[in-house]
Amino acid sequence: MTRLLACVAAALVVAGCGFAAAPQESDAAVLVGIGDQDASMFSSPFYTQAHFKRARYFPSWDVALKGQKHEQEAQWLDQWLAGAQATKTEPLISFFASLGSACPGKPCKLPTVRQYTNAFKAFRQRWPDVKVISPWNEANHRSQPTFKNPKRAAQYYNVVRKYCKGCKIVAADVIDEKNMERWLKVFKRTAKKPRIWGLHNYRDTNKRKGQVLGGTKRLLKAVKGDVWLTETGGIVKFVLPNGHTLFPKSESRANRATKRMFALAKQYRSRIKRLYIYHFIQSSSDNRFDAGLITNTGRARPAYNTVLRQLATPTFAP
């Protein structure tokens, strides 16, 4: 969803410093993480209370390249990773279109395989301790340059697989749009031995009149291997770019959606191994997309308490 370009005060990560060892995974529980672009999340008492140990961030694919524009974004990532390191949180980095992209309009740059390779090598050099990677975020969505080129997205996955030995790699990170199976069919022809698949199952979790459900089941049928719900949760408010309100503000509806998210993960827990709730802190009072567990005034919403209750059960673990 829309990137929150928050620049908060935090110490910059020293290149080469390591993250704490990844927390042990349990076969008996779905692991629950959180996604947010704001590094202040890590200093929130609500974050500490939930004991989150996994978090997701999506920078531009070229964030590590040299240049003033890239260095500013790299510093934002530095700050976020500093918070992750301080709280012993394992980061999942999911690459995104470059800053300023306007896909499907222009500009909408689809990197060549060579350009992506150079950018990823630079990323590995600057942040060698990041070991959980998604090569492209919502790759089948029209807002991404990979929307009409699943083969190129698969080539990006192959690059990450080659140059990130020992890493956990989410092969394709897709959203439950109508094109999902068709897009994945092409992707799989080029991708080398994919083992983990990512899904944003907003259609299933956030029901609305006339909307076709079943994206989670469709993805599980379309691929083999483990599935991570890399972006999911309850939407409080969503206004489309054209001004149309898809979901009017409702914390109670978002809480019901959060409960549905956990029910789906529990139903398919033999395949679904992780879920990352999006997102933690509401960025402002007037943002178009709001799914925050915590308001920008520092109040915990009902969905946050639902998360705490589910984390106390044997089915889920932070």
Side-chain angles (χ1 to χ4, degrees):
M1 288 296 169
T2 303
R3 144 178 319 155
L4 309 178
L5 296 177
C7 184
V8 299
L12 294 182
V13 170
V14 177
C17 64
F19 293 97
Q24 293 297 310
E25 299 192 9
S26 169
D27 292 335
V30 178
L31 303 178
V32 179
I34 190 78
D36 204 288
Q37 302 297 94
D38 194 334
S40 66
M41 167 182 74
F42 296 109
S43 61
S44 167
F46 294 113
Y47 185 86
T48 304
Q49 184 180 5
H51 303 289
F52 288 122
K53 290 301 176 187
R54 295 164 183 85
R56 176 176 171 269
Y57 185 95
F58 47 96
S60 299
W61 66 272
D62 52 1
V63 63
L65 297 182
K66 293 182 179 180
Q68 186 175 358
K69 181 192 78 169
H70 299 115
E71 187 56 33
Q72 175 65 84
E73 191 185 4
Q75 289 183 15
W76 293 332
L77 178 53
D78 275 337
Q79 294 161 4
W80 192 92
L81 289 173
Q85 184 189 16
T87 53
K88 298 182 179 179
T89 298
E90 177 194 73
L92 163 59
I93 296 299
S94 183
F95 294 113
F96 202 72
S98 294
L99 286 179
S101 295
C103 302
K106 295 181 178 181
C108 183
K109 179 179 177 60
L110 178 70
T112 66
V113 176
R114 182 175 181 179
Q115 288 171 331
Y116 186 91
T117 301
N118 290 338
F120 186 68
K121 284 182 175 180
F123 179 90
R124 292 287 293 148
Q125 184 174 10
R126 180 158 181 165
W127 296 290
D129 298 294
V130 175
K131 300 291 187 182
V132 189
I133 301 287
S134 169
W136 205 281
N137 176 59
E138 288 190 350
N140 67 318
H141 194 269
R142 61 182 58 85
S143 66
Q144 298 304 306
T146 51
F147 172 56
K148 293 183 178 180
N149 203 326
K151 179 179 178 179
R152 183 67 56 84
Q155 290 171 323
Y156 297 159
Y157 159 71
N158 292 341
V159 168
V160 175
R161 185 176 182 273
K162 180 178 180 179
Y163 292 104
C164 203
K165 301 297 184 183
C167 294
K168 286 186 173 69
I169 306 169
V170 180
D173 207 344
V174 297
I175 189 168
D176 55 355
E177 296 280 347
K178 294 179 180 179
N179 71 335
M180 184 175 67
E181 289 95 333
R182 183 172 67 254
W183 192 96
L184 285 169
K185 185 176 181 179
V186 178
F187 179 95
K188 288 188 293 183
R189 292 176 190 152
T190 299
K192 298 179 180 178
K193 299 181 179 179
R195 293 184 176 87
I196 303 172
W197 304 88
L199 174 65
H200 302 185
N201 64 340
Y202 284 113
R203 286 176 182 262
D204 275 354
T205 55
N206 294 271
K207 291 182 178 180
R208 63 184 180 89
K209 188 176 180 180
Q211 182 169 273
V212 178
L213 304 179
T216 307
K217 187 176 181 180
R218 285 167 47 209
L219 187 279
L220 291 169
K221 184 177 179 181
V223 298
K224 296 179 180 179
D226 292 344
V227 170
W228 294 3
L229 302 180
T230 44
E231 187 176 312
T232 185
I235 298 172
V236 176
K237 182 184 75 172
F238 185 24
V239 180
L240 297 174
N242 63 9
H244 174 69
T245 298
L246 201 62
F247 290 99
K249 185 175 181 180
S250 173
E251 293 185 1
S252 60
R253 187 197 60 247
N255 188 35
R256 292 194 297 272
T258 302
K259 291 177 180 178
R260 209 152 37 237
M261 170 192 75
F262 281 113
L264 282 165
K266 183 176 181 179
Q267 179 182 356
Y268 298 112
R269 63 186 180 276
S270 63
R271 296 277 309 279
I272 294 175
K273 302 302 180 182
R274 295 192 186 194
L275 68 85
Y276 289 82
I277 303 165
Y278 188 81
H279 53 109
F280 189 71
I281 302 172
Q282 176 193 10
S283 62
S284 68
S285 59
D286 60 352
N287 53 312
R288 288 194 305 105
F289 183 86
D290 176 14
L293 297 177
I294 310 299
T295 68
N296 63 331
T297 60
R299 173 179 59 84
R301 285 171 163 162
Y304 175 79
N305 295 317
T306 293
V307 172
L308 293 185
R309 285 193 294 271
Q310 290 296 328
L311 288 176
T313 69
T315 305
F316 301 98

